[in-house]
Amino acid sequence: MSAAPAGEVVSRARAKDHSPWNWLLFLPIVVPLITPLFNADSPRLFGFPVFYWLQLAFILLGVGTTTVVYQMTKKRG
């Protein structure tokens, strides 16, 4: 038996993780770039301006989408 070239093995491994769920990972990248969402002082939450608590919401968005994508794309069985 002859071994496959290293580049061929890598391309086969990468081809297996093309899932439409991976597109969801763009959400936590693009949403914080929409500056009109947090370009204000109000509403305030516990005295904090919208900018600060929305940054924490963006972190939760990133964690949530990463968790969903991981759960939907992990190998089962």
Side-chain angles (χ1 to χ4, degrees), residues 8-70:
E8 188 176 323
V9 173
V10 170
S11 65
R12 274 193 231 145
R14 287 186 183 161
K16 291 181 181 179
D17 70 351
H18 287 297
S19 171
W21 287 101
N22 291 338
W23 288 103
L24 195 60
L25 293 173
F26 280 110
L27 193 62
I29 295 170
V30 173
V31 170
L33 295 175
I34 305 171
T35 55
L37 288 176
F38 52 86
N39 191 15
D41 186 47
S42 61
R44 290 180 171 256
L45 185 65
F46 302 114
F48 291 103
V50 69
F51 176 79
Y52 294 106
W53 59 263
L54 202 54
Q55 294 298 313
L56 294 173
F58 291 154
I59 293 170
L60 295 175
L61 175 69
V63 170
T65 55
T66 304
T67 302
V68 167
V69 170
Y70 173 74

